[in-house]
Amino acid sequence: MSEFKKIETVEHPQHYNQGSIECIDAMIAAFGITEVIAFCKLNAFKYIWRAENKFNTLEDLKKARWYIDKIIEIQERNI
């Protein structure tokens, strides 16, 4: 029996990393906290908006939660 490795699609998916740098962290460095928080809010909205119309509703809701959690993390880190 072959064993399949589950590909991460919500928490730190591989395609969002270049070496040890995650895209969202590079965005903060390039555009600043305010812009990235706005980006996260819009992405969370997008994933919630379309979740019911996609094959994997739960995955889109988890992606929305990831962006909301990222906003909280950024704000807590920069208080």
Side-chain angles (χ1 to χ4, degrees), residues 52-69:
E52 294 296 323
N53 297 315
K54 298 220 22 210
F55 174 74
N56 195 337
T57 300
L58 185 58
E59 182 177 89
D60 268 21
L61 292 173
K62 287 180 179 181
K63 288 178 181 180
R65 181 177 60 195
W66 187 91
Y67 281 105
I68 292 167
D69 287 344

Side-chain angles (χ1 to χ4, degrees), residues 7-33:
I7 296 173
E8 177 56 53
T9 59
V10 177
E11 295 287 328
H12 313 288
Q14 187 174 16
H15 60 276
Y16 282 111
N17 292 285
Q18 295 293 326
S20 63
I21 300 171
E22 190 163 356
C23 182
I24 195 94
D25 295 322
M27 290 169 61
I28 292 169
F31 300 105
I33 292 168

